[in-house]
Amino acid sequence: MKAVIIGGGVVGLSSAYYLKESGWDVTIIDKTDLSDSCSYGNLGMIVPSHFVPLAMPGMISQGIKWMFNSRSPFYVKPSLNVDLINWGLKFVKSATEKNVEQSAVPLRDINLLSKSLYETLAAKPGFDFGLEKKGIMMYFKTPKVEEEEIHLAHRAQSLGLDVEPLSKQQAQALEPAIDLDVLGAVHYRCDAHLYPNKLIAQLIEYLKSAGVKFQTNSVVEKIIRQGDVIKKVVTANGDFEADVVVMAAGSWLPQLTKMVGLSIPLMPGKGYSFMQNNPPKQLNIPSIFCEARVAVTPMNGGIRFGGTMEIAPVNSRVNMKRVEGIVNSIPKYFSNLQLNLPREKDVWYGFRPCTPDGVPYIGSSKKINNLFIAGGHAMSGLSLGPASGKLIAELVNGQHTSMDIKAFDPERFS
């Protein structure tokens, strides 16, 4: 039985891993050479703490304020693009307390499942991708955000997560090399992190040795559908017959689903990251600056900094004002860590695929019998990769899924 996976990021690779493990003949098709997928430049965080979706109350008013600041962490580029307008209307409708409440348990569960699968993978021969279970620190500087974060920490505790609010002094004791300029922090000890560059390279190497075929630099030109079944995926480099098709193409998912007559709303959110390879001060625990929406992770002997969410059609422009916003935020929280603005060529950018309600798409199509979709993971693609791949493999094999996936229905907006 042949499975064709479109997309070679961490979600596509994980789907291939679990499908191959269960006996499928797997081919991965990707339009790139796999050297720079969105999975490479992220902050490597595994985040059960992220049980609140992007579409939440207050995000609209906050987003409008941020739109007038070129260095702000969140930006929706005004455009007459029809897809953006439709996505925006659905986002506004989804930004409710009800959406937050309904999303919390499934987002917690899929992150915990992924963390467990990463632990299993890290114990396998040939895998050593720097998995560390030190948690993540959420730092805050203002009383208003302190109140919000402590409330969220209590909500996390009620969901059974290992979380502890910390005073500035308690946080400082965990980061002896860094001078903290904060009111306090919340330590999400349930979280973990890894080095994504190693993970992706090792997954690709493992899959190749296991017999998974890779068709790189191959743009999908057409998908041939007969009735309610996909028969073939057509690329410039050849045609690929398939018993099942898995679409895991990140921000390019809507173009693929349109080829088979499905409309799946999704917009790319551009994010930036860069490395400081020989930091004068070493960070111990990955961190998120709450007000600035900037993430910082110790990684491979250096520190990776990242942030911003720029909702707009795919483009290749690096907005150095947004990178400057990340750089300027660092000493406001870590007062003895001064950064120079990186050169544009040293800035990585990638497109996070964002659904209108902030919940990923993972499931089978009700309209096309052999189509499975895994996408829309926004900033949590790496965190949710293994769980998404395992759930897809379970669906393909007609098995009970490891968790309830109703919330992830890929056709919920149809």
Side-chain angles (χ1 to χ4, degrees), residues 10-156:
V10 68
V11 175
L13 295 173
S14 297
S15 300
Y17 178 90
Y18 291 105
L19 282 169
K20 187 66 183 175
E21 200 175 57
S22 59
W24 284 79
D25 177 0
V26 180
T27 299
I28 294 176
I29 299 173
D30 197 277
K31 64 187 184 64
T32 73
D33 63 2
L34 297 186
S35 65
D36 191 31
S37 72
C38 200
S39 310
Y40 278 102
N42 69 54
L43 275 288
M45 295 178 173
I46 302 162
V47 283
S49 60
H50 285 34
F51 56 85
V52 177
L54 185 64
M56 60 181 172
M59 197 61 188
I60 307 301
S61 57
Q62 181 65 73
I64 289 169
K65 290 176 194 168
W66 276 335
M67 280 179 71
F68 299 100
N69 179 358
S70 64
R71 296 171 180 83
S72 68
F74 181 80
Y75 179 68
V76 179
K77 187 174 183 179
S79 168
L80 292 177
N81 178 285
V82 174
D83 291 336
L84 176 59
I85 292 168
N86 288 338
W87 182 93
L89 292 172
K90 289 180 173 68
F91 183 91
V92 169
K93 193 175 177 182
S94 298
T96 63
E97 196 58 55
K98 182 182 177 185
N99 181 47
V100 170
E101 192 63 33
Q102 289 177 339
S103 304
V105 169
L107 288 176
R108 174 202 65 183
D109 287 352
I110 191 170
N111 273 291
L112 288 173
L113 174 61
S114 238
K115 182 184 176 187
S116 167
L117 294 171
Y118 270 127
E119 289 167 354
T120 302
L121 188 64
K124 286 192 66 142
F127 285 97
D128 176 17
F129 43 82
L131 179 64
E132 293 192 67
K133 293 179 276 188
K134 294 180 175 180
I136 286 174
M137 301 284 273
M138 303 287 288
Y139 289 111
F140 45 81
K141 288 180 67 71
T142 62
K144 177 177 181 290
V145 175
E146 176 181 27
E147 184 182 343
E148 291 168 357
E149 289 301 318
I150 298 299
H151 174 77
L152 197 61
H154 291 151
R155 174 77 175 111

Side-chain angles (χ1 to χ4, degrees), residues 216-229:
T216 54
N217 296 308
S218 293
V219 175
V220 174
E221 297 180 339
K222 188 164 56 170
I223 298 174
I224 295 173
R225 171 183 170 184
Q226 289 180 7
D228 55 7
V229 174

